[in-house]
Amino acid sequence: MSTATVIDRHGVDVRRGVDDRAVARPGVDQPAVDPAWITATVRPAGRFGRGDVGRLRALLDALSACASIVVLDLQAARLLSPRAATVIDEAAHRLEEHGGCLVCINVDADSRACLSTAGPHAVLLAQG
């Protein structure tokens, strides 16, 4: 009989209880857990067009795999490509699936229009 390692979204081995938590079993009361959050803030600069989508996807893929909240500060950036907006929306969707979120702050009107057509997953906050 083999034993699999089961890691939750916070990096804790829930079978072995690497942080001394009890192994989760149905019907057994578990101690309340105060989950740790990882927040990442990214501040891209410049114009993001079709040629920049690969780098943006690689960064957001990595962050959405381990962060709880990703803050994308677009104050110094302009989104020019619907593909770039789609990459952001897809990362936001992945974060949502794990209880996290992607927040775009300092979004100008052009970037907002681009992001709004990509999907509903990212939270957009205007420049302020």
Side-chain angles (χ1 to χ4, degrees):
M1 183 173 195
S2 70
T3 358
T5 300
V6 180
I7 305 295
D8 71 6
R9 71 181 205 86
H10 304 291
V12 175
D13 182 340
V14 296
R15 291 185 139 248
R16 285 189 267 234
V18 293
D19 63 348
D20 296 329
R21 291 185 224 173
V23 175
R25 286 180 233 121
V28 176
D29 289 337
Q30 298 297 315
V33 176
D34 182 18
W37 286 82
I38 296 176
T39 302
T41 301
V42 179
R43 298 193 72 200
R47 298 169 167 262
F48 280 77
R50 187 181 309 185
D52 302 300
V53 172
R55 291 185 315 145
L56 185 61
R57 180 180 303 280
L59 174 65
L60 292 177
D61 281 352
L63 290 174
S64 63
C66 62
S68 310
I69 297 173
V70 174
V71 177
L72 190 58
D73 185 344
L74 297 175
Q75 184 172 10
R78 299 295 170 262
L79 296 179
L80 303 175
S81 166
R83 289 182 188 171
T86 298
V87 164
I88 293 168
D89 186 69
E90 289 170 352
H93 185 255
R94 283 190 302 279
L95 283 160
E96 249 178 42
E97 288 177 331
H98 301 290
C101 105
L102 189 146
V103 179
C104 296
I105 62 172
N106 296 315
V107 181
D108 68 8
D110 293 335
S111 295
R112 177 180 292 279
C114 194
L115 285 163
S116 295
T117 61
H121 300 288
V123 176
L124 310 179
L125 302 173
Q127 289 178 323

